[in-house]
Amino acid sequence: MASPSSLFSLRPWPIGDKKPKNLGEFIARVNAERGGFRNMTEAKLREEIMAQENGRVETDDMSDSEDEDEDEDEDEEVDPDKSKNVMDAREEFLKNIEIAHQSAMLGLDFLSLLSSKNKLDTEESRKAAENSISAALRERVGIATLGATKVNESNITEARRQDDIAVAIGWRLMGVNNMVDSVVAAAEKLEKEMELEAKYWADILAVSENGWAVCALPQEPHTLGVRYGFSESAPDFRNSSIAPLRRNDDGTVRLDLGRVGGGSQRIRVTLKRNGIIVDQSPLPGRTLDDAPLQDRVLEARNTVFHQELWYEINREARTLLSSDVYSDSSSITWKQDAQTQLVFTLEDLAEPDNAHENISDTQCSCTAYYVYMQFLLFQGHRQNYHRRTTMAQHPPNRLAMHPPYTILRAVVANSEYFRECKVMADFLEDLVFTLRRAGISTASSKSAAQPLIPALLQGSLTRRNAKMELNFINYLVGRLESAFELVITPQARIFARGRAVIIPYVGMHFGISLTPFTVQNSGGENIGNNTTASISEEKEQREPQNPLERSYPPSDPIREPYPNAREAIYYIRQATIR
């Protein structure tokens, strides 16, 4: 190893400890060198330790000595090549060491000579340079003969450095200002969004408080919607009666109406005589786009309701050809007679239009028909709800079990009822006037609408439930009856009763009896019960007996009623002559 004063700083790599590092390495080494623990004894180990300390190694038996002799012979045979390789390796190692030493010394001389040029200001620096430069280099070149300068001088001055610092500070201040501006802009935007959201949710709460169902859309769970249709309407209208509540840029709510997106619509009823409009149901004004949200939702509900009404009366019109009801793509026409026709159309709303409205005849006006049709559709919804909630099991094909509503049938039947009853009442008045002019002072007539059945009315008050209410309304709708009485003489009296028929056909029945009719409780049957009253078996006092019972009796009022007012008038006229 070189002495501490030597300038040669290279040292050999340290040799690691040859002792085993862990128990596994120790066991592996014993198995490889000693043949395992079975071949080792404490005495043998102690002898090897003593031999190593004395510089010799003793053999245990002759076999071991023979093996060692053989190994020595082999080593002697291999020694010449092995010694040559070792010498070559030693020479190469020394050569590499010398090269490294020379390179280090040249580098040291270069750095010392270069440093001596710039460090001759003090005596200490000169001595340090002289001590580090080799003697051969000092004699040949001398000290301070090698210098170094910069190729390009730096253009960074103190003033420029200060400018750079000022620019950096300026950029940092600009970044802070930009950050403050962005935070202020974000705060303003957030405040504006809060105002818009508050306005949006105020409209949503107003709709919800008015009773509309606000829920998430089935296809867009993150979007609110409002259900404005009817749960018991036709599937096409029920499934499409939900509109998304989307927010406009100004915070107002926009209704994305699918089926009713084309505009507001209403059913219109028009009465024409000889092609001239004599009566027409009015049309309301269109709801403005900036109207309150609840008003727009209500308008959408009304529109989809009238669209469903138009759909249902079109279905029903196909089954009423026998009643002179015809339909095309834009209208439904009912020909009441050769000069009069009633036209139903679905029209878009614009400005309010009631120029042709005429409600002088309140029972048969177009406005009355307009309201009556809406009521019948609503009644059909209630019947669907009652049927759905009371039936234990639904039929397999519910669509096939949904017949058309009796809307146009009821309109046609009621119109014929009022027309035929008016014809009968006018005839009786004219007949009484003629009889009195003929000298029969006892002649008189009277007519009245059929009163409610007391038992049905009492039942609705004492046992009120959903079914009883439906039956009661159906009774009011389908059981239109009028009673007429003609007194010729105190003995000769004629009683007539007119009743509208809706199912299974549309028409009018007139029953005529020579004794007063008695009302029979129908229990609130639905529309279509043709005969729910019968002639009382017990008649009033027959003294004196009605002479028409033998001379000209009427047909049975239950089994063979007269089909219209004309036939009933013919009988009354013939009976009066007799």
Side-chain angles (χ1 to χ4, degrees):
M1 183 177 289
S3 61
S5 60
S6 174
L7 299 177
F8 185 65
S9 60
L10 296 179
R11 299 290 186 274
W13 287 101
I15 299 175
D17 189 6
K18 295 183 179 181
K19 294 181 180 180
K21 300 296 186 297
N22 49 45
L23 183 60
E25 185 179 349
F26 174 74
I27 295 173
R29 185 178 295 182
V30 170
N31 292 331
E33 295 179 356
R34 306 287 181 176
F37 288 95
R38 294 183 180 180
N39 298 328
M40 294 176 58
T41 59
E42 184 178 355
K44 185 183 296 184
L45 292 176
R46 289 185 182 277
E47 289 179 0
E48 290 182 1
I49 293 172
M50 293 295 294
Q52 290 178 1
E53 292 177 354
N54 297 331
R56 60 183 180 83
V57 179
E58 297 180 356
T59 58
D60 295 338
D61 49 20
M62 293 299 293
S63 60
D64 293 339
S65 62
E66 291 177 358
D67 292 338
E68 290 181 359
D69 293 339
E70 293 177 358
D71 293 339
E72 290 177 357
D73 295 338
E74 292 177 358
D75 292 340
E76 290 177 356
E77 294 176 358
V78 181
D79 277 344
D81 295 335
K82 184 176 182 180
S83 299
K84 184 178 179 181
N85 293 335
V86 171
M87 293 301 293
D88 293 340
R90 180 175 178 277
E91 292 295 335
E92 185 178 359
F93 178 71
L94 293 177
K95 182 180 179 181
N96 291 333
I97 290 176
E98 183 64 24
I99 293 173
H101 174 66
Q102 294 297 329
S103 300
M105 292 304 295
L106 291 174
L108 179 61
D109 289 341
F110 173 77
L111 294 177
S112 299
L113 184 60
L114 183 61
S115 301
S116 63
K117 176 68 176 176
N118 300 325
K119 294 182 179 180
L120 295 177
D121 299 334
T122 61
E123 187 66 24
E124 294 179 357
S125 61
R126 185 181 296 108
K127 290 182 179 180
E130 292 176 356
N131 294 332
S132 60
I133 297 176
S134 61
L137 183 61
R138 189 186 304 112
E139 293 176 358
R140 177 171 295 186
V141 178
I143 299 174
T145 57
L146 181 62
T149 58
K150 295 180 180 179
V151 178
N152 293 323
E153 292 291 336
S154 176
N155 58 354
I156 298 177
T157 61
E158 185 65 23
R160 183 172 180 180
R161 186 179 293 105
Q162 294 299 328
D163 291 342
D164 293 343
I165 293 174
V167 171
I169 294 174
W171 277 105
R172 185 171 298 177
L173 292 177
M174 291 177 61
V176 173
N177 292 334
N178 292 335
M179 180 185 66
V180 172
D181 294 340
S182 62
V183 171
V184 172
E188 293 177 354
K189 182 178 180 180
L190 179 60
E191 184 177 0
K192 184 178 179 181
E193 285 293 326
M194 291 174 61
E195 295 177 357
L196 297 178
E197 283 293 322
K199 187 176 181 180
Y200 171 80
W201 284 106
D203 292 342
I204 298 296
L205 290 178
V207 170
S208 180
E209 290 173 357
N210 285 345
W212 301 102
V214 179
C215 59
L217 295 181
Q219 296 81 10
E220 303 179 29
H222 61 282
T223 304
L224 285 179
V226 57
R227 291 188 178 275
Y228 56 85
F230 299 87
S231 59
E232 303 303 328
S233 56
D236 293 341
F237 296 91
R238 181 176 64 249
N239 298 333
S240 61
S241 297
I242 181 171
L245 299 172
R246 306 189 188 278
R247 200 193 76 181
N248 292 324
D249 295 336
D250 58 351
T252 57
V253 180
R254 182 179 73 256
L255 282 175
D256 287 346
L257 302 175
R259 180 182 291 273
V260 300
S264 301
Q265 294 178 321
R266 292 292 188 278
I267 294 289
R268 193 164 202 180
V269 184
T270 304
L271 181 63
K272 294 182 179 181
R273 286 194 179 95
N274 297 322
I276 301 174
I277 298 177
V278 296
D279 189 11
Q280 196 173 44
S281 61
L283 289 180
R286 181 177 178 272
T287 303
L288 300 178
D289 295 336
D290 57 351
L293 179 61
Q294 53 268 28
D295 294 343
R296 286 180 282 158
V297 175
L298 179 61
E299 179 61 31
R301 196 281 304 270
N302 293 337
T303 298
V304 75
F305 181 79
H306 281 261
Q307 287 177 348
E308 183 185 3
L309 178 59
W310 176 252
Y311 168 77
E312 292 295 341
I313 63 177
N314 269 278
R315 290 180 59 201
E316 188 181 7
R318 300 187 185 100
T319 64
L320 295 177
L321 291 176
S322 60
S323 299
D324 294 329
V325 177
Y326 306 95
S327 65
D328 53 29
S329 59
S330 60
S331 64
I332 298 174
T333 304
W334 171 39
K335 294 183 179 180
Q336 297 179 349
D337 51 45
Q339 294 81 24
T340 308
Q341 59 183 5
L342 196 65
V343 182
F344 305 89
T345 56
L346 181 66
E347 299 187 8
D348 296 333
L349 297 185
E351 296 297 329
D353 183 8
N354 56 357
H356 299 284
E357 183 181 12
N358 181 14
I359 55 176
S360 58
D361 185 5
T362 57
Q363 294 176 339
C364 297
S365 65
C366 292
T367 303
Y369 289 144
Y370 171 76
V371 176
Y372 186 51
M373 292 168 63
Q374 297 179 67
F375 172 78
L376 291 177
L377 179 59
F378 179 71
Q379 180 69 6
H381 288 172
R382 292 191 62 189
Q383 290 177 345
N384 291 340
Y385 175 77
H386 177 71
R387 188 182 304 110
R388 179 173 60 85
T389 55
T390 56
M391 292 182 64
Q393 293 182 356
H394 296 290
N397 189 357
R398 297 182 62 189
L399 296 178
M401 300 296 293
H402 176 60
Y405 296 124
T406 55
I407 299 176
L408 287 180
R409 286 176 177 271
V411 171
V412 173
N414 289 351
S415 178
E416 291 184 356
Y417 166 80
F418 289 114
R419 184 174 65 251
E420 295 288 327
C421 289
K422 186 177 184 303
V423 170
M424 176 63 74
D426 293 343
F427 168 74
L428 293 179
E429 291 179 359
D430 294 342
L431 181 61
V432 168
F433 179 77
T434 302
L435 291 175
R436 287 182 178 180
R437 293 289 299 272
I440 303 175
S441 60
T442 58
S444 65
S445 67
K446 60 181 179 180
S447 62
Q450 179 70 30
L452 296 176
I453 299 177
L456 179 61
L457 182 61
Q458 294 176 1
S460 64
L461 296 176
T462 57
R463 298 182 289 108
R464 182 172 180 177
N465 52 51
K467 184 177 181 180
M468 180 61 67
E469 292 178 358
L470 288 174
N471 291 339
F472 184 72
I473 295 175
N474 289 337
Y475 180 84
L476 294 178
V477 172
R479 292 293 303 276
L480 294 177
E481 296 182 2
S482 291
F484 305 91
E485 181 181 0
L486 174 63
V487 178
I488 304 175
T489 64
Q491 295 79 20
R493 295 191 301 172
I494 300 175
F495 301 91
R497 181 176 61 185
R499 175 182 298 173
V501 179
I502 298 179
I503 292 178
Y505 60 90
V506 180
M508 188 74 181
H509 284 175
F510 277 93
I512 297 180
S513 173
L514 301 179
T515 58
F517 288 95
T518 58
V519 178
Q520 182 182 8
N521 183 15
S522 64
E525 296 293 335
N526 291 335
I527 299 176
N529 188 1
N530 297 335
T531 57
T532 57
S534 63
I535 302 175
S536 175
E537 295 180 358
E538 297 180 0
K539 301 181 180 179
E540 297 180 348
Q541 292 294 333
R542 295 173 178 262
E543 295 297 337
Q545 188 178 10
N546 194 331
L548 294 176
E549 290 184 357
R550 293 184 178 179
S551 62
Y552 196 67
S555 62
D556 192 297
I558 297 178
R559 297 180 181 178
E560 296 180 3
Y562 293 95
N564 50 50
R566 183 172 56 84
E567 297 292 336
I569 290 173
Y570 177 80
Y571 168 80
I572 295 174
R573 183 181 292 111
Q574 297 299 323
T576 302
I577 294 174
R578 287 173 172 77

